[in-house]
Amino acid sequence: MPDRPSPLVAATGVVLDTRGRVLVLTTPGRTEPELPGGSVHGTETPEEGLARALREGLNLALPAGRLLAVDSRPPATAGTPGRSVIVHVHLVGPVPPQEAAAVSFPVGEATEAHWLPPEAACALLPARVAPRLRAALAALHTGSFAHLVDGVPQPGSPAGLDPARRVALEHSGTLDPASHRASRPKAVTAASVLFTGSDGRILLVQPAYGRSDRWNLPGGGIDSDLGEIPRAAARREVLEELGLDLAPGRLLAVNWSHKPGRPARIRFLYDGGVLDAPALARIRLDRAELLQWRTVTPVELPGLVKPALRRQITACLTARATGAGPLELHAGRP
């Protein structure tokens, strides 16, 4: 449509099921697989356009989720009539198994739905789409956003930029300060408190969200964007979760953990001291965050908490008993 010089706006969905697989569509007679989505019509927003495309094209009544990436693509051949394309890439799902199995297509369409592992989806998609998916998945896993031009992450893109490319840009001095901050790796910070009872049993709490079969120490994320420091976060979280306004004791350990493709996680672990029976009786849970609390012996930890947290608790108990620390831990290991 060369008579309409404005860019064409499209919306694409990275539709995931509960197993983390990506929905890819293939149609016999068409040479290239594709991700769900399409052009944005009239006065629609990209979110509205994607939701409509999912509803009409796949029988999926799901909203467009978080914006993961924006990709700008020039006309196919420079200097020839055509329109550039701006593609908004949104997360959709995770789609429950029943809804994933109910994906269907309009009468007469021979399109097929394939739920593929991310790498298999990237390998199947055409060269102009696969980098878009890779960058969007990187943004999903890091809680960030990718800025692309023709599928290529741009200098300063918060996600999708190859680490070696980022380092080269930094060393060349070509990144402005804002782009440098945007592209630097991010970390998630939290503060936890180790309480024990008079009998030496460890206080654990059961979350009301995420994996409720995994128990945690009292604590939570540090609101660093509000200027909160780790010690203040530990006290606030204990007050919010347990209803106890107690100043944390000394810092027992700092734990660093990291999984490839995810932000590093840093946990500050404080000594909460000993809670006697009257103090334990004053606990009042925030039911929006916690289901219940309990005290356990160290030998009971393996069946309740993740191995990395168990190692952190064990190290903190040793530091408390010996007066050592603060300890530097990597995934719970000194």
Side-chain angles (χ1 to χ4, degrees):
M1 292 176 277
D3 57 320
R4 300 175 62 185
S6 60
L8 176 67
V9 178
T12 292
V14 177
V15 183
L16 301 179
D17 67 2
T18 54
R19 296 167 56 185
R21 297 180 302 176
V22 180
L23 178 59
V24 177
L25 307 177
T26 59
T27 304
R30 295 184 183 177
T31 57
E32 296 182 336
E34 57 188 11
L35 294 173
S39 299
V40 177
H41 296 170
T43 59
E44 285 181 331
T45 64
E47 293 83 356
E48 292 170 339
L50 178 56
R52 172 185 49 75
L54 295 173
R55 184 177 60 254
E56 296 178 355
L58 301 176
N59 194 34
L60 278 178
L62 296 172
R66 186 168 72 83
L67 180 64
L68 299 175
V70 170
D71 188 10
S72 302
R73 190 157 59 90
T77 304
T80 62
R83 299 172 67 183
S84 59
V85 181
I86 299 174
V87 183
H88 287 228
V89 185
H90 288 266
L91 171 66
V92 179
V95 182
Q98 187 173 357
E99 293 187 43
V103 170
S104 60
F105 307 94
V107 176
E109 288 281 347
T111 303
E112 297 177 350
H114 307 274
W115 294 94
L116 303 174
E119 279 307 313
C122 290
L124 183 63
L125 289 167
R128 62 181 176 80
V129 179
R132 193 180 295 161
L133 175 59
R134 285 195 180 92
L137 290 171
L140 170 65
H141 296 321
T142 58
S144 192
F145 172 82
H147 169 209
L148 313 174
V149 174
D150 211 8
V152 178
Q154 297 302 289
S157 176
L161 195 64
D162 180 81
R165 171 66 172 155
R166 173 185 59 77
V167 171
L169 288 168
E170 289 178 349
H171 290 177
S172 67
T174 57
L175 290 178
D176 61 87
S179 296
H180 180 268
R181 289 193 301 272
S183 60
R184 286 296 301 167
K186 308 299 189 292
V188 178
T189 55
S192 297
V193 183
L194 175 67
F195 293 106
T196 55
S198 302
D199 54 2
R201 294 168 66 91
I202 302 152
L203 177 65
L204 298 179
V205 294
Q206 185 181 28
Y209 49 86
R211 289 192 58 177
S212 59
D213 61 323
R214 295 291 196 183
W215 291 68
N216 295 321
L217 292 175
I222 300 169
D223 292 334
S224 56
D225 56 336
L226 301 178
E228 188 175 54
I229 62 174
R231 180 173 294 275
R235 183 168 187 167
R236 173 183 56 77
E237 287 286 345
V238 168
L239 177 59
E240 291 176 356
E241 292 185 345
L242 304 179
L244 301 177
D245 188 11
L246 301 172
R250 72 185 184 93
L251 180 66
L252 295 174
V254 176
N255 183 74
W256 175 282
S257 61
H258 176 252
K259 293 181 179 179
R262 265 69 169 177
R265 304 181 71 88
I266 303 168
R267 185 199 300 259
F268 295 79
L269 296 118
Y270 292 93
D271 186 0
V274 176
L275 298 179
D276 57 17
L280 291 172
R282 294 199 304 273
I283 291 178
R284 297 293 182 269
L285 296 182
D286 179 354
R287 295 297 179 180
E289 294 197 19
L290 301 177
L291 297 176
Q292 57 181 321
W293 65 271
R294 65 187 292 187
T295 60
V296 302
T297 63
V299 297
E300 295 176 280
L301 290 174
L304 298 171
V305 304
K306 294 186 295 184
L309 179 56
R310 174 174 51 83
R311 292 192 294 268
Q312 293 171 57
I313 294 172
T314 301
C316 286
L317 288 172
T318 301
R320 178 203 268 186
T322 62
L327 303 179
E328 178 187 353
L329 307 176
H330 295 172
R333 297 181 178 89

